[in-house]
């Protein structure tokens, strides 16, 4: 198991920084990835950080990345000082925000949020492809884009889950 944490200032620019740091870690750890998993990882870490910047508390965010190659899983966590847990929103087609947690839920194998001693932790577990690093498959005609659209069409299938597996409403993020 590989694991690393890094601190970010709670600011809008932190989403881009988190994506770069994640890509560096995945490369350094030589994790298997393809275009679908790369897009899922960078989208999920970006949404987790953006939500913590928008709805969290404190000056700093702590991002933890854990890879378990045996299980082909990548765990992304963002910690902030707020104890208010996210709630899944059902944005209307005209809403300009509110889709972050829906994206996280549909791009991850499991996701959730829980209170910690210092605030909260919002996490998502992602599947890694089975093939070795460096063997990225090329996009088919609609590939990942079609997959995301399909996931949005099924957007309201399951409730957001806490680490213990209990469903919780998610709104505000």
């Amino acid at each position: 198991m590989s694991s690393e944490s890094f601190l970010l200032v709670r600011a809008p620019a932190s989403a881009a920084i988190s994506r770069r740091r994640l890509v560096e870690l995945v490369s350094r750890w030589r994790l298997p990835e393809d275009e679908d998993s790369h897009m899922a990882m960078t989208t999920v870490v970006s949404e987790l950080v953006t939500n913590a910047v928008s709805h969290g508390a404190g000056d700093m965010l702590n991002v933890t990345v854990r890879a378990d190659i045996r299980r082909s899983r990548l765990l992304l966590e963002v910690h902030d000082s707020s104890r208010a847990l996210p709630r899944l929103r059902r944005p209307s087609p005209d809403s300009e925000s509110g889709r972050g947690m829906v994206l996280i839920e549909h791009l991850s194998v499991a996701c959730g949020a829980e209170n910690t001693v210092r605030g909260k932790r919002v996490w998502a577990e992602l599947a890694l492809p089975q093939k070795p690093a460096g063997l990225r498959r090329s996009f088919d005609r609609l590939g990942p884009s079609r997959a995301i659209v399909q996931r949005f069409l099924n957007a309201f299938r399951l409730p957001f889950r806490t680490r213990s597996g209990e469903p919780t409403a998610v709104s505000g993020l």
Side-chain angles (χ1 to χ4, degrees):
M1 166 117 44
S2 300
S3 180
E4 192 166 315
S5 294
F6 53 91
L7 294 174
L8 297 171
V9 173
R10 202 175 128 245
S14 293
I17 295 167
S18 70
R19 288 189 301 271
R20 283 193 302 273
R21 293 290 302 270
L22 177 62
V23 168
E24 290 168 7
L25 287 174
V26 167
S27 176
R28 183 165 27 111
W29 293 341
R30 298 186 184 276
L31 298 178
E33 68 175 321
D34 55 21
E35 275 80 2
D36 290 346
S37 64
H38 180 83
M39 183 172 54
M41 316 180 203
T42 55
T43 300
V44 168
V45 78
S46 184
E47 290 299 329
L48 288 170
V49 169
T50 297
N51 288 339
V53 167
S54 299
H55 305 286
D59 294 331
M60 302 298 289
L61 303 174
N62 183 349
V63 178
T64 300
V65 180
R66 291 187 177 96
D68 186 343
I69 287 294
R70 287 176 292 149
R71 292 182 53 238
S72 296
R73 294 289 187 259
L74 184 72
L75 180 65
L76 303 172
E77 303 176 4
V78 176
H79 301 252
D80 71 73
S81 299
S82 171
R83 294 194 50 83
L85 296 176
R87 296 172 311 209
L88 190 60
R89 292 176 19 181
R90 307 284 185 214
S92 73
D94 297 329
S95 298
E96 293 185 18
S97 63
R99 291 173 180 79
M101 294 310 298
V102 172
L103 271 171
I104 291 167
E105 180 183 30
H106 292 286
L107 291 173
S108 63
V109 174
C111 58
E114 58 195 16
N115 287 314
T116 64
V117 173
R118 294 187 175 131
K120 74 170 171 292
R121 168 180 93 110
V122 182
W123 58 273
E125 186 175 351
L126 304 169
L128 294 172
Q130 297 294 323
K131 60 185 163 184
L135 296 177
R136 291 184 169 198
R137 72 173 174 82
S138 58
F139 281 105
D140 55 24
R141 233 175 84 208
L142 296 174
S145 300
R146 193 172 87 209
I148 287 178
V149 168
Q150 184 60 47
R151 288 181 181 199
F152 261 143
L153 292 174
N154 298 326
F156 307 112
R157 71 184 186 333
L158 296 173
F160 192 73
R161 298 168 300 280
T162 63
R163 185 69 167 172
S164 66
E166 295 177 25
T168 183
V170 177
S171 165
L173 289 186

